[in-house]
Amino acid sequence: MYAQLVETGLSRVRNLEEMSREEREFQGRIDRGVKIEARDWMPEAYRKTLVRQISQHAHSEIVGQLPEGNWITRAPSLKRKAILLAKVQDEAGHGLYLYSAAETLGTSRDQMIDDLHSGKAKYSSIFNYPALTWADMGAIGWLVDGSAIINQVPLCRCSYGPYARAMVRVCKEESFHQRQGYDIMIALAKGTPEQKAMAQDALNRWWWPSLMMFGPSDSESVNSAQSAQWGIKLFSNDELRQKMVDQSVPQAEFLGLTIPDPELKWNAERGHYDFGPIDWEEFYNVVKGHGPCNRDRLKTRIKAHEDGAWFREALIAHSEKKAQQAAGAAA
Ligand code: FAQ
């Protein structure tokens, strides 16, 4: 896979002869599977790539709370409310581990948050779609967390230690998230005809955006070749997307629901499901900020940050007072 990505990627990666001595040693460590830690020497471009990816990932977790957060007050039972509340809180936690991992690379949390709010930093396209019914809570858990796990399990083995370690815990929690989503889908699919129709409608709306989460196809992915060489990406966007399709088809069959793709078909020769073309125009439109909810999501996020300013100020004042007291006691 590594060699294949390096060959087919849009950006050509440098071979060992083109690298400086430090870069060659760095690449050697990666090739031997030795983790890179925060204080180790690293090429600036490696640091930049990680800050980009980890901060985008953190922003996705934080913005990703919004579609589900809207449904906490409307969950159909106390049990479902408690489960959804715990899931949304976990997402906040994932955002915090990831911001911390990015901070080890020398960027500040304030800078990352400014970049999100100014529109400079991206977050996952998936969170720019609306959650219209309770069944969307099921579809998000099943398909969105499902895609997130497939993408994130390999990241537990990525070359940068703090990111890899953060992902171990995140992945454990994502498994619970996916199960809770699938559990909602089971309840609806086995419920009344209206409930089953609601589950089908949610699947229809979330299927294609979930496949887009894995990013552009390998032939269009600008960062893949370099990220593969650096051990950040262990599988290509298309390989992970295929895994998602293969995993989801039997799950949809078990639910008695139909995946909204007339071209979906088992290919015995490949040992995988073939699937129809992805609407990349829609994907790029959403990534550029023109999806159904982009403006609303960013506006809500900025307001939450502004509303929390007093609390951050109080925390700083408190820690400064504690530091003064400690200095006074030591004098
Ligand atoms: N949305 O060259 P590539 C979650 C951009 S967490 C928006 O292939 P790369 C948990 C990409 O940034 C979901 N932009 O890029 C949860 C690049 O632009 P740039 C988030 C996208 O980085 C569940 C350009 O397109 N997960 O769901 C997207 O090698 C439920 C070219 O693409 C992660 O962030 C997209 N979908 O591969 C929370 C995982 N895809 O930056 C709440 C870590 C691509 O050069 C509720 N990230 N772009 O300007 C990754 O694995 C990678 O960054 C990829 C993209 C695979 C997302």
Side-chain angles (χ1 to χ4, degrees), residues 52-53 56-57 60-61 64-65 68 87 91 122-127 140 144-145 148 151-152 155 163 174 212-216 221-224 227 233 237 283 287:
R52 175 184 66 78
Q53 175 165 329
Q56 283 177 9
H57 195 166
S60 302
E61 297 282 356
Q65 294 178 98
E68 290 167 297
K87 179 187 192 286
E91 281 149 10
K122 293 187 170 79
Y123 58 88
S124 181
S125 51
I126 193 74
F127 302 116
I140 291 175
V144 176
D145 285 281
N151 169 271
Q152 287 169 193
L155 289 173
Y163 191 26
E174 295 290 20
M212 292 175 195
M213 281 176 74
F214 295 93
S221 167
V222 280
N223 302 303
S224 283
S227 289
K233 249 182 181 170
N237 296 0
F283 169 75
V287 171

Side-chain angles (χ1 to χ4, degrees), residues 59 62-63 66 112-123 127-128 287-289 292-306:
H59 300 326
I62 297 299
V63 178
L66 298 175
M112 289 185 269
I113 289 173
D114 280 352
D115 288 348
L116 171 68
H117 293 174
S118 69
K120 189 173 157 213
K122 293 187 170 79
Y123 58 88
F127 302 116
N128 293 306
V287 171
K288 282 186 199 138
C293 298
N294 294 61
R295 268 180 217 107
D296 190 48
R297 296 283 185 250
L298 215 48
K299 202 171 116 203
T300 309
R301 199 48 240 140
I302 291 170
K303 182 172 183 316
H305 189 70
E306 286 170 354

